[in-house]
Amino acid sequence: MSGLPVLDHATLDRLRELNEPGEPDIVIEVLTLFLEDAPARVAAVAAAQAAGDARGLERAAHGLKGSAGNIGALRLQALCHRIEDLGRLEEAGDPMVVLSLHEEFETLRQEVTRLL
Amino acid sequence: MAVDAALPSPVPLTILVADDDAGSRRIVAGMLRKAGYEVIQAENGAQAWALLQRADGPQLAILDWMMPELDGTEVCRRVRAVPTDTPAYLILLTSRGRSVDIVEGLKAGANDHVTKPADEGELLARVQVGARVVHLQHALADRVARLEEALRNVQQLQGLLPICSYCKRIRDDRNYWQQVESYITHHADVQFSHSCCPDCYERVVKPELDALEASDGDT
């Protein structure tokens, strides 16, 4: 996972190709939506872990994985995939995964903010 | 992936994009609008189900698998439970790429699936397949309706018709005697243009004309 970029700029370039003349920049829109939406998804993962709710952990991590994939947040996407698997395997008890998630999200948030 | 320029232009269609992730909705809607489709959006499964139940609802829907209130698979099940000649074409959008998940989605009633994050070329190609299916279904339903209507008209002309041996009028269901042309016009999509056959001309019309001519000569 450490070999992956925090943010894959090739993904953002592909998104930019969807821009229509006279319309707002889709990359800015999608990154802004991500920063608005993702903290609640991170909190949902943390809450499910704290409650030992494996099914909730799987579901919350799955949602955040999709959001991360949209903007090319490859490291966060890979981490969420791992957490989703833990939930599927009924292993919701490791608080370290939530710590890693918070760290990864903070790194990503700073990089995204620089682009806005 | 860049979209293949050789792909045919899309047929007119309104597509529902249902996803609780606003960013994902924005991206998928952007791909579809750029390709010329009209897009409506729902932010959860319950909204999607409500839109799909409308008489003028979307005929093609791209549904996220995991959504609040109703999952995409549950929306598929509900849509399939409603008998119709023109069922909506349903594509599940999911990052659940395992074959067991794909099978579950198809069993729930999805026609197809696309893996998240959506690849533009793949998404549009699958949507075009769906659009073709939708238009074929509508053309087929329209053809069936026309055939059923024609069959009803034919059935109205079938059976024993009581006809007068002398004047050739036909007795209808209400015991009225009607002229043949009146009866057929009423029971089938046929209109008569009145004319005169050669035999009747010789037998009826010509003697009348001769008589008229003779009477003119007398005066």
Side-chain angles (χ1 to χ4, degrees), chain A residues 6 31 34-43 64 67-68 71 73 75-76 79-80 98-113:
Chain A
V6 173
L31 290 178
F34 176 81
L35 287 186
E36 288 171 4
D37 180 60
R41 293 185 183 274
V42 172
L64 184 56
S67 302
I71 61 166
R75 269 174 40 183
L76 181 65
L79 178 59
C80 288
V98 173
L99 191 62
S100 304
L101 181 64
H102 280 301
E103 286 174 1
E104 186 55 46
F105 179 68
E106 182 53 27
T107 307
L108 174 64
R109 193 187 62 75
Q110 288 176 17
E111 185 150 340
V112 168
T113 304

Side-chain angles (χ1 to χ4, degrees), chain A residues 17-112:
Chain A
E17 289 173 11
L18 295 175
N19 275 333
E20 300 275 10
E23 294 290 317
D25 185 345
I26 190 171
V27 172
I28 301 296
E29 269 190 85
V30 170
L31 290 178
T32 303
L33 287 168
F34 176 81
L35 287 186
E36 288 171 4
D37 180 60
R41 293 185 183 274
V42 172
V45 173
Q49 190 282 320
D53 175 6
R55 178 76 184 118
L57 185 71
E58 179 191 356
R59 204 175 165 90
H62 178 87
L64 184 56
K65 181 179 78 173
S67 302
N70 286 334
I71 61 166
L74 300 186
R75 269 174 40 183
L76 181 65
Q77 187 184 15
L79 178 59
C80 288
H81 188 82
R82 200 155 61 85
I83 298 172
E84 186 185 3
D85 283 346
L86 289 175
R88 191 177 295 123
L89 297 169
E90 304 284 329
E91 294 176 14
D94 184 0
M96 286 306 291
V97 295
V98 173
L99 191 62
S100 304
L101 181 64
H102 280 301
E103 286 174 1
E104 186 55 46
F105 179 68
E106 182 53 27
T107 307
L108 174 64
R109 193 187 62 75
Q110 288 176 17
E111 185 150 340
V112 168

Side-chain angles (χ1 to χ4, degrees), chain A residues 29 41 59 62 67 70, chain B residues 20-21 24 26 71 95-96:
Chain A
E29 269 190 85
R41 293 185 183 274
R59 204 175 165 90
H62 178 87
S67 302
N70 286 334
Chain B
D20 60 314
D21 184 326
S24 181
R26 175 67 185 87
D71 274 344
S95 52
R96 301 170 68 131

Side-chain angles (χ1 to χ4, degrees), chain B residues 74-150:
Chain B
E74 180 56 27
V75 175
C76 290
R77 282 188 200 94
R78 292 188 181 198
V79 169
R80 295 300 174 237
V82 179
T84 170
D85 291 336
T86 53
Y89 192 90
L90 305 175
I91 298 175
L92 274 175
L93 184 62
T94 175
S95 52
R96 301 170 68 131
R98 299 176 307 161
S99 61
V100 63
D101 295 323
I102 294 166
V103 170
E104 186 186 337
L106 295 173
K107 279 186 174 173
N111 294 93
D112 201 354
H113 78 101
V114 174
T115 306
K116 254 182 166 179
D119 174 88
E120 186 184 5
E122 181 186 346
L123 178 77
L124 293 180
R126 291 185 186 277
V127 163
Q128 283 183 348
V129 170
R132 281 199 294 272
V133 170
V134 165
H135 284 267
L136 281 171
Q137 278 174 175
H138 278 264
L140 188 63
D142 186 52
R143 180 71 63 90
V144 168
R146 285 166 190 264
L147 288 171
E148 284 174 347
E149 177 65 23

